[in-house]
Each structure stands twice: as C-alpha cells, then as structure tokens.
Amino acid sequence: MPATKKTPEHNRVGNVFNNLLKQIGNPVDFELPDWFNKWKPMPYTFIRRNIYLTKRIKRRLEDDGIFCSCSPSPGSSGVCGRDCHCGMLLSSCSSGCKCGSSCLNKPFQHRPVKKMKLVKTEKCGSGIVADEDIKHGEFVIEYVGEVIDDKTCEERLWNMKHRGETNFYLCEINRDMVIDATYKGNKSRYINHSCCPNTEMQKWIIDGETRIGIFATRDINKGEHLTYDYQFVQFGADQDCHCGAAGCRRKLGVRPTKPKMSSDAALKLVAYQVYQNGGLHVGSSHVSEQQRTCSRNCIGEVIMITRPMNKRSFGIIKRFDKFSRKHSIMFEDGAIEFLDMTKEDWELVTL
C-alpha cells in the first residue's frame, strides 16, 4: 500500500494536537464510584403483551355485564368521556358497547406509551425517567410479563433467593395469577418504588382480560423519575428504602400509616360535631344540585356519607381521578378511600 503523502494541512493539524497535549499534561488516574461500576441492567426479552404460562382466564363479555350506551355529543369528535359507565368501572369499552370506533375509553389500545428512558441511579440501581411531560390521570405504560400461577411464582422466588438476587419484578393480578417481568417485560419493570409516588397501578378489564396499567397521579415533568408504591410483600431479609420522599417509611414492606390531617382539614371535620347540634346545613343529595353547589369536582368540600344501618361518616374530598371516575375521600379518623360517588348516598355539608 503506497505511503500517504503529508501535506502542509496535515502538519498544521499535527502541531495543534501536540500543543493541546502539552497543555493537558500527564494523564491523571481516577476511579468511578462503586455504584457506577456495579450497575448493569438485568437482561430481559422485550414484549408488548403478557405471555401466559398458565391457563388464560378470559371472561365472556356477557358475563361482565359492563356495557355503555354513549353517543357523540354535538361538536365533539370522541365518545365515552367522563360519564361512560365502562370507564367508571375501570373497564375498557368492548364490542358489546354502542360507542363505535371514536371511543375514547380504550387506554391500553389507543393511547401510546409515554416517552421514557432507562437511567442508572445512585442507590436504586436502574430507574426510569419521563422523556416528556405527563399530565395527571394519563396512561403511562402497561405492566407486562409472563403470567404464572402461585406455584410457579413460589418456585421462582426460592430460586432467585438461592442465587442471591434482590430485585423482584412480580405483580399479582388475581388469585393464582401473577405477572413476572423478570425474564420478559418492558420498561415498566424498571420503575422504582417511592413512598410518595407520582404514578399508580390500576387493574382494568380489557375485552374480558385483566390487565395492569400505570397511570399518573399528578402532573409529571420531563426528566422526572417515574415511581409507584410497590405495596411490597416481604420475602427474605428486610430491604432499605432509598426513595428519599419526605414521608419515606425507611423499609420496603412497611405499610403506609394513616396520613396526618392538616389543621385546615381538622377544623373542617370538626363540622360533624357541630352538625349533631344543628349548626350545619346539609345540602341536597341530588347530583344536579351538587354540581351547581361546588366546582372542580368538589375538591376540598366536606361531605357526609350515609352507610348501612344509617351510619354517618364525615370526610373531605381530596382529589378526583378523571379516568377511574373516583374521588379520594379523607375521613375524620385519617383513613382515605377511593369511592365512586354515583354509588354512594352522600350530601354536601356547609357552615
């Protein structure tokens, strides 16, 4: 091969490079942190849908009895909004519904997975950050993997424990049915735990099949870590929690305590005592009247719920999920429940 002829241009480049080396000086040895060297994402096979290694239970549409009769409203291009009966029950509309192809209540089928990327964290191994802004209530991603029964799940857990593995990717769907994303799954397997998460898992019925979706519980900014509460069931030694949340429970597996009420909430809930003495006015329980009385889905309003045996409970509406159509209610004892208010006997309480 003939030698390459050096040109004045080559000489100039060479001189610049040599001068740069002189300015840099001698190389300096340094070591990367241990957590960086040890970080290696566990290999897995990417899949888009669950793979069943156990008997697939798929109920017939007529067995569910969940259908809607939504129709397009004037000026709207979509069907099945906030009042869709299927959406209220966390069930995707099916062929048995009359809404047609413009249905909006198909989060798993019609909504694209949010953009996200895999990152390494200092204390929690792999993690996922949002690669776009995500709005409260939006579908983020489906949790998928191999669907196994309890027996297989137990065998896999013992094998993993004997190998010294500490990362588990298990999510229970129903009795004797678990999603295991250890060997096959998608990016959802890397979403870390937080005691104060920004997403939650929801169990939906899609064409008779139970599937798990992850939905945003608040607005999430691009670059923010995605997290949900694992509700971890302990298997083996305790694991420290490194989520860094203000209300961190320190250990995985520790159940969340009942939240402490703010002074404002506590003052409002004193209302139920005053009510006993006739000092409060209880509003109409008719939905149309409630809608005229409060705005923003009644967030922050005090309500009275009448339960069986005429038992009355007082609480404050904390938030509303527009996809499940359920309200988060904090009661006077600090307990929080997610309720479908269309099925409750409730009334507004005003001073």
Side-chain angles (χ1 to χ4, degrees), residues 285-302:
S285 61
H286 295 296
V287 174
S288 59
E289 193 67 30
Q290 305 285 17
Q291 291 173 342
R292 288 197 295 267
T293 306
C294 60
S295 60
R296 295 185 304 107
N297 294 302
C298 299
I299 305 300
E301 297 290 343
V302 178

Side-chain angles (χ1 to χ4, degrees), residues 2-55:
T4 304
K5 182 179 180 180
K6 291 186 178 180
T7 65
E9 183 67 25
H10 281 96
N11 292 332
R12 283 197 296 271
V13 173
N15 291 335
V16 171
F17 183 75
N18 290 331
N19 289 333
L20 182 60
L21 286 177
K22 290 179 181 179
Q23 294 177 23
I24 293 175
N26 295 327
V28 178
D29 292 332
F30 68 95
E31 292 184 0
L32 293 170
D34 289 340
W35 63 266
F36 187 94
N37 292 324
K38 293 178 181 178
W39 180 76
K40 286 184 179 179
M42 180 181 290
Y44 73 101
T45 301
F46 173 79
I47 58 174
R48 297 183 183 277
R49 286 287 306 274
N50 287 326
I51 296 176
Y52 282 78
L53 303 184
T54 184
K55 184 178 179 180

